[in-house]
Amino acid sequence: MPGSDFNFETIEFLDPTGQLKRPLPAALATRDKLVELYQLMVQTRVFDLSAINLQRTGAMGTYPSGEGQEAIGAGIGFAMQENDVLVPYYRDVAAQIRRGVLLEEILRYWGGDEWGMHFQHQEQDFPISVPIATQACHAAGIAYAIKYRRQSRAVVTTCGDGATSKGDFYESINIAGAMGLPVVFVVNNNRWAISVPLEKQTAAPTIAHKALAVGIDGFRVDGNDPLAVFHVLSETLERARTEHRPSLVEALSYRLGDHTTADDASRYRPQRELDAARELEPLIRFKAYLQKEHQWTDAEDENIYECCKEQVKKAIEAYRALPEQPPGEFFDYMFARPTADLEQQKQEWLAGVKRRG
Ligand SMILES: Cc1ncc(C[n+]2csc(CCOP(=O)(O)OP(=O)(O)O)c2C)c(N)n1
Ligand SMILES: [Mg+2]
């Protein structure tokens, strides 16, 4: 069984200096495709930094930065087929962009308006999950529906290293194995779960080892390398679609930012660890690769950044122009018919809004 050899060697294509160590995946073997992949990561980074600024200036709510983790979403986004289903968590902006979610929709969500998760151009993907690991259960259920309907599709769901300690995660990978469901569980192992380091999170030698207990394929991949993520996701998704074989993919990354804008990681995280991680991050590496192997120029690089900044600027303008969500509306989507308690809370909330003017 691929991947389940108890060693889980880390799959890499690019070393940290941007040197290619294996032949390129065939689907990405043109300069244009590689530039498209790089542009997605740059777009995600530029968006991320702007989103933090929006929160800092009071124009948006709490935001979880994905800085340094762009290669995972980009690799996932490029590997998925259009009719596959993404069940994401909150650090998957790159994958969401690739799947057609608008930047202003993501801003709208973090601005506190759930309509931001009602995607205009992407109907089958799921909203991001903020509750930890609950999405793994949803993904298993969707995969079951796909199998039941005999469709040739697969589900990708993502979560963090901390999420793999939750019952929801174990239950989901277990049922996926027991029932042979077309789902790939991608774990973004960014080494921290807020202030809990990986060392305190689990005694398992790697997160990929968790696949062994439930009899599914497990893989470890360099999450700073979008080519490697793309390769592993392409293969695991194909096995999920055609053979109903689920996988667990541990993508090794590092959370370069604070946990969210409500956190200050300098209170618990050693600076030297962060400095070392910065050396390994995906944008530096991929740019070095493009320069070495594809005559990538500084002018082209500047051009991509300018283009991405322009797109983010437009998204921010669209976000700022949105009508304010009617007060109390967020109670309306919990159930088809609200419970008496919920209705009472809504009325109390509306009365409070009225009092405060
Ligand atoms: C069910 C639930 N419990 C607790 C939280 C609070 N919480 C938010 S993020 C987080 C840590 C998640 O860490 P990890 O799974 O490693 O993902 P990361 O944020 O590092 O990407 C916790 C405990 C939550 N959102 N949902
Ligand atoms: Mg984490």
Side-chain angles (χ1 to χ4, degrees):
M1 186 186 288
S4 297
D5 59 1
F6 291 85
N7 287 322
F8 298 107
E9 272 171 34
T10 306
I11 300 164
E12 295 166 307
F13 278 63
L14 293 175
D15 78 7
T17 69
Q19 192 67 43
L20 190 64
K21 295 160 77 174
R22 302 168 53 154
L24 278 174
L28 297 180
T30 64
R31 190 181 196 266
D32 284 354
K33 270 281 164 216
L34 293 165
V35 171
E36 209 181 318
L37 182 63
Y38 179 59
Q39 178 152 4
L40 176 59
M41 292 196 293
V42 172
Q43 177 78 89
T44 307
R45 176 72 57 91
V46 170
F47 173 80
D48 200 78
L49 299 176
S50 304
I52 293 170
N53 288 341
L54 275 179
Q55 187 278 337
R56 293 287 186 246
T57 53
M60 206 178 69
T62 303
Y63 176 76
S65 165
E67 189 187 1
Q69 296 144 89
E70 296 88 350
I72 300 174
I76 292 172
F78 268 71
M80 289 180 76
Q81 288 181 0
E82 210 174 315
N83 67 348
D84 293 334
V85 183
L86 179 67
V87 186
Y89 89 128
Y90 45 80
R91 293 196 212 277
D92 291 317
V93 167
Q96 289 193 297
I97 296 175
R98 178 75 182 171
R99 306 276 302 156
V101 174
L102 302 177
L103 298 179
E104 55 263 41
E105 290 174 331
I106 301 173
L107 295 176
R108 186 174 195 175
Y109 176 77
W110 294 112
D113 182 346
E114 284 157 303
W115 280 103
M117 289 288 120
H118 184 81
F119 311 130
Q120 284 178 53
H121 304 299
Q122 172 48 260
E123 290 189 342
Q124 77 244 13
D125 287 356
F126 274 59
I128 58 166
S129 179
V130 172
I132 301 303
T134 52
Q135 71 276 24
C137 308
H138 307 156
I142 300 158
Y144 178 76
I146 286 173
K147 184 172 179 179
Y148 182 78
R149 293 174 183 172
R150 299 174 192 275
Q151 296 171 334
S152 175
R153 309 162 72 184
V155 183
V156 179
T157 188
T158 57
C159 66
D161 43 297
T164 68
S165 302
K166 279 201 68 205
D168 311 51
F169 181 79
Y170 289 107
E171 291 159 26
S172 305
I173 59 173
N174 184 63
I175 197 80
M179 299 185 84
L181 301 180
V183 53
V184 180
F185 299 91
V186 180
V187 178
N188 174 350
N189 178 0
N190 62 13
R191 305 203 65 88
W192 290 88
I194 315 183
S195 56
V196 179
L198 185 67
E199 295 68 42
K200 289 192 180 161
Q201 189 65 247
T202 178
T206 75
I207 286 176
H209 276 80
K210 298 190 179 194
L212 292 175
V214 295
I216 66 174
D217 295 340
F219 299 92
R220 273 192 130 194
V221 61
D222 185 341
N224 288 315
D225 175 351
L227 301 176
V229 176
F230 170 82
H231 168 76
V232 173
L233 261 290
S234 299
E235 295 207 333
T236 50
L237 275 168
E238 189 55 19
R239 278 196 292 274
R241 282 184 215 107
T242 57
E243 299 171 42
H244 293 150
R245 258 170 63 180
S247 302
L248 191 171
V249 177
E250 175 185 6
L252 299 165
S253 72
Y254 193 83
R255 197 195 75 209
L256 292 179
D258 294 327
H259 170 69
T260 66
T261 47
D263 175 45
D264 174 6
S266 68
R267 293 174 58 191
Y268 55 81
R269 185 168 67 174
Q271 183 62 37
R272 60 179 186 286
E273 183 183 299
L274 181 60
D275 295 342
R278 281 205 178 275
E279 304 276 311
L280 301 176
E281 64 106 323
L283 265 70
I284 294 175
R285 180 180 308 198
F286 206 73
K287 181 179 167 185
Y289 164 65
L290 288 177
Q291 285 171 325
K292 266 197 250 280
E293 300 286 335
H294 299 277
Q295 294 77 46
W296 185 246
T297 64
D298 287 347
E300 283 178 300
D301 207 60
E302 275 166 34
N303 189 32
I304 282 220
Y305 271 87
E306 280 317 308
C307 176
C308 291
K309 280 182 192 161
E310 194 51 39
Q311 281 167 357
V312 171
K313 197 171 142 227
K314 286 203 178 107
I316 292 174
E317 280 163 13
Y319 163 67
R320 288 187 188 276
L322 284 168
E324 215 170 284
Q325 187 181 26
E329 196 194 44
F330 51 75
F331 289 99
D332 296 342
Y333 307 117
M334 188 70 80
F335 302 110
R337 266 175 295 133
T339 59
D341 282 354
L342 202 61
E343 189 53 42
Q344 189 189 337
Q345 284 175 34
K346 181 177 174 180
Q347 295 315 323
E348 283 171 12
W349 168 263
L350 289 175
V353 170
K354 209 168 166 188
R355 257 200 323 276
R356 290 189 296 270

